[in-house]
Amino acid sequence: MKKKFLDLGMQPIANSFVKKTKKKVKKEFFYNLKIGYNEKNHLVSLMKHVNPKIQYTDKYAHRASESKTMREAFQKVANKLKNRFKPSLTMEIGSNDGVFIKNFDKKKIVAIEPCKNLAKITKSKNFNTYAEFWNRKLAKKILKKEKKIDLIFSANTISHIPDLKETFDAIEIVLSSKGVLVIEDPYLKTVIKSNSYDQFYDEHVYVFSLLSISKVVEDSKLRLFDCEKSETHGGSMKYFICKKNSKYKNTIRYKKLMKSEINFGLNKLKTYKNFSFRVKQSKIKLINLLKKLKNKNKKIISYGATYKSTTVFNYCKVGKNYLDYVVDTTKNKQGKLTPGQHIPIISPEKGFNSSVDYAFLGAWNFKKEIINKEKEFIKRGGKFITHVPKVMIIDKLK
Ligand code: TYD
């Protein structure tokens, strides 16, 4: 049974950036974002998920290649996995704009991407792309054309799919007997430790831990044997999974992480209730800080129109009352309004100038990259605001 521990209020779809029109903005879809913990399999998930068909459309905004950090991270992962597992055929579930698959020989990679606008990008580059949702039916269809797959990679996608049984069953169908599935998603312990409650939004149906995912895959005749931390998306974890009877032995990393999760209390509802208390405190602190700065007539903007900041702005009711606009490098976000709070999004060239006193780090997961890029802003007295790991002002380069 899932037990609710956190209520982040009424939220819009995190990536439904709103088109500006002369008329009143069209009525948006809102849902109550509540998070729960399942004591049986330790899964932390949304209490109720949104229909994927209204999320992953041909207007899907996120482009993984937008950031240098991500481009470099995916290239590194691709090379590491190729060296470790030497796959003759690889598949990626959720290939986005091709940031991972571009590191592979076109004949040796299959891409799955249900968002038609994204699939179009990789198809146009002649990558073997299936523009469909991942499920058993698609797995069987693929097996009619391809041989079994040695390496399946999926970053920031499996945690978006409500039906995990269907997902892992479908993976088991196409995975070769010695094959390995590597999934990477935001890591629950980091979310709790760093109070990054904005990792919860409609797309993140789950935030995984080793405890939960190792249990869940067992239902699909799979077995988790290794894990590896990564810095992407503010703290993620890679899980290495094989067929139940495969040769892979549980690694020391696996055993260590399992122990640390239990010591931390990821198997106790109390840990999540404590987190919920800290989230409420974070909201109060952020509003108080913004109020104080506004009272001093400071110009505050936000940096990065992220899905995560959709959660923060709608939970804390931060809109044009505090923020003049949001700057973002993504062309198809520019000229639109943020979901729910309707803050205008403009390009950094237009908006990130000397008139700005404070910039809220909507893209706090790229803190290093952004501060490095915006040295001049800080040098002339500009300051960043973040809420992770706690509400604070950043006014130094290091
Ligand atoms: P992302 O990390 O994917 O977060 P989420 O999954 O919560 O949307 O999004 C980062 C966003 O920040 C993306 O729209 C691009 C933008 N961005 C900038 O505008 N400038 C930058 O320097 C960086 C690194 C990102």
Side-chain angles (χ1 to χ4, degrees):
M1 243 285 280
K2 237 184 330 192
K3 290 191 176 148
K4 189 203 97 183
F5 63 85
L6 180 62
D7 187 341
L8 293 170
M10 295 308 284
Q11 295 278 350
I13 299 288
N15 84 347
S16 60
F17 296 95
V18 180
K19 263 198 192 137
K20 255 194 283 188
T21 54
K22 288 215 178 76
K23 281 183 244 144
K24 234 178 146 235
V25 172
K26 228 174 43 188
K27 218 174 173 348
E28 281 176 282
F29 171 84
F30 279 88
Y31 69 101
N32 191 179
L33 178 57
K34 289 182 191 165
I35 326 295
Y37 168 65
N38 184 330
E39 282 176 306
K40 231 170 139 189
N41 58 12
H42 310 296
L43 267 174
V44 165
S45 63
L46 306 189
M47 292 302 286
K48 229 174 135 189
H49 65 82
V50 172
N51 182 353
K53 291 210 169 105
I54 63 171
Q55 296 168 305
Y56 306 105
T57 64
D58 59 356
K59 302 208 168 42
Y60 194 76
H62 176 74
R63 299 279 184 285
S65 297
E66 258 330 287
S67 126
K68 186 169 164 258
T69 312
M70 293 308 279
R71 287 194 302 273
E72 287 173 358
F74 279 116
Q75 188 183 28
K76 227 167 126 187
V77 175
N79 290 336
K80 236 174 136 177
L81 293 178
K82 277 195 273 189
N83 283 337
R84 182 169 171 191
F85 299 112
K86 311 216 164 17
S88 57
L89 185 61
T90 301
M91 179 175 92
E92 187 184 20
I93 304 174
S95 52
N96 198 270
D97 58 1
V99 69
F100 175 77
I101 59 169
K102 74 172 186 202
N103 301 294
F104 286 78
D105 180 338
K106 284 186 181 133
K107 286 189 221 86
K108 292 185 171 182
I109 186 110
V110 177
I112 314 292
E113 179 48 68
C115 300
K116 305 265 186 294
N117 59 330
L118 296 172
K120 216 167 130 187
I121 301 173
T122 54
K123 271 185 185 170
S124 74
K125 291 178 183 157
N126 289 325
F127 280 100
N128 183 4
T129 313
Y130 290 81
E132 292 176 51
F133 282 99
W134 177 249
N135 52 31
R136 285 193 199 97
K137 198 171 145 213
L138 178 58
K140 286 177 189 156
K141 179 172 157 184
I142 288 173
L143 270 196
K144 282 192 186 137
K145 292 193 192 155
E146 325 281 346
K147 53 186 173 112
K148 286 221 173 180
I149 296 163
D150 305 315
L151 174 67
I152 302 177
F153 181 71
S154 189
N156 306 304
T157 300
I158 304 296
S159 61
H160 296 206
I161 310 178
D163 193 343
L164 293 179
K165 173 85 172 101
E166 170 88 24
T167 303
F168 287 117
D169 279 356
I171 285 170
E172 207 274 336
I173 291 173
V174 296
L175 196 63
S176 69
S177 58
K178 291 179 195 150
V180 174
L181 159 71
V182 181
I183 67 172
E184 176 170 336
D185 290 278
Y187 181 45
L188 182 64
K189 194 167 142 213
T190 310
V191 170
I192 306 265
K193 265 172 100 169
S194 62
N195 229 17
S196 43
Y197 62 88
D198 50 346
Q199 289 285 15
F200 292 107
Y201 53 87
D202 60 290
E203 287 185 15
H204 286 177
V205 180
Y206 302 97
V207 178
F208 294 141
S209 61
L210 178 61
L211 266 164
S212 62
I213 206 71
S214 62
K215 262 207 156 20
V216 168
V217 297
E218 281 175 8
D219 292 340
S220 301
K221 295 194 217 122
L222 296 169
R223 184 168 57 80
L224 206 157
F225 65 94
D226 193 12
C227 47
E228 189 183 3
K229 273 192 183 140
S230 95
E231 295 302 317
T232 53
H233 282 291
S236 299
M237 188 66 72
K238 279 191 202 70
Y239 305 97
F240 296 75
I241 296 156
C242 61
K243 290 217 167 179
K244 196 174 149 197
N245 297 320
S246 187
K247 60 173 183 177
Y248 293 101
K249 293 213 165 58
N250 288 353
T251 60
I252 294 172
R253 278 197 298 216
Y254 170 102
K255 290 174 194 163
K256 272 193 178 160
L257 192 74
M258 191 60 98
K259 221 172 162 181
S260 89
E261 288 191 357
I262 291 168
N263 287 341
F264 186 77
L266 287 187
N267 54 346
K268 291 194 181 83
L269 182 62
K270 181 101 184 40
T271 306
Y272 302 102
K273 288 197 166 158
N274 290 343
F275 167 64
S276 176
F277 175 77
R278 293 198 307 274
V279 171
K280 284 176 206 144
Q281 298 294 106
S282 172
K283 172 181 177 171
I284 296 167
K285 280 189 186 143
L286 181 63
I287 296 171
N288 285 346
L289 174 63
L290 295 176
K291 258 189 200 154
K292 200 174 95 187
L293 297 176
K294 257 317 200 229
N295 286 340
K296 288 185 186 163
N297 280 327
K298 298 293 180 194
K299 176 170 172 177
I300 318 167
I301 65 149
S302 189
Y303 196 112
T306 61
Y307 302 173
K308 290 188 281 293
S309 57
T310 297
T311 296
V312 178
F313 296 160
N314 288 284
Y315 173 57
C316 301
K317 305 269 180 303
V318 169
K320 282 177 287 189
N321 46 349
Y322 296 112
L323 305 176
D324 285 32
Y325 49 79
V326 181
V327 292
D328 197 291
T329 52
T330 316
K331 294 269 179 305
N332 61 344
K333 290 183 186 176
Q334 293 164 5
K336 293 188 180 150
L337 308 170
T338 63
Q341 294 297 324
H342 298 172
I343 312 163
I345 304 166
I346 59 175
S347 70
E349 291 77 36
K350 247 180 161 174
F352 202 63
N353 51 39
S354 57
S355 68
V356 176
D357 297 306
Y358 288 82
F360 176 76
L361 270 177
W364 56 264
N365 47 317
F366 293 116
K367 188 165 103 183
K368 264 192 211 151
E369 181 177 337
I370 293 170
I371 290 182
N372 204 18
K373 199 159 94 182
E374 308 297 359
K375 282 189 192 112
E376 287 312 310
F377 171 67
I378 294 191
K379 278 188 192 154
R380 68 147 181 88
K383 296 176 176 67
F384 285 105
I385 299 170
T386 187
H387 67 294
V388 175
K390 59 178 188 187
V391 175
M392 59 184 181
I393 289 170
I394 302 167
D395 55 4
K396 292 192 182 65
L397 290 174
K398 280 257 159 57

